[in-house]
Amino acid sequence: MKVLAHVILHQLLFAGWLLAMWVLYCTPACTHPIEHLIAVPFAVLIPTAVIMRRLCSDPRFIRWVDELER
């Protein structure tokens, strides 16, 4: 049950992030280019850092990268 709650929380967080990106880029709510520059670290860099951290801690991914380097 705890794992299910964790998965649901992650999905809700991702849905909120998608909604924020839609509001930021697809509605007239954003009228200034500087808002895009401010939003980029939150919209792109933080999720990328989270994904890379998870990938780099996975032994399967590390083995795959080692095989690519050969």
Side-chain angles (χ1 to χ4, degrees), residues 2-70:
K2 189 175 181 181
V3 174
L4 178 61
H6 195 258
V7 169
I8 291 171
L9 179 65
H10 274 108
Q11 289 178 346
L12 287 174
L13 187 64
F14 183 69
W17 178 76
L18 282 177
L19 179 63
M21 292 302 98
W22 180 78
V23 167
L24 184 63
Y25 291 105
C26 300
T27 65
C30 179
T31 57
H32 303 287
I34 194 70
E35 291 175 354
H36 292 280
L37 294 175
I38 293 170
V40 164
F42 301 103
V44 177
L45 299 178
I46 292 174
T48 301
V50 170
I51 291 168
M52 289 306 297
R53 181 175 171 258
R54 284 187 152 190
L55 277 176
C56 292
S57 65
D58 187 5
R60 294 174 296 182
F61 180 74
I62 294 170
R63 279 195 307 267
W64 179 72
V65 169
D66 287 339
E67 289 175 5
L68 286 177
E69 291 177 352
R70 292 184 201 164

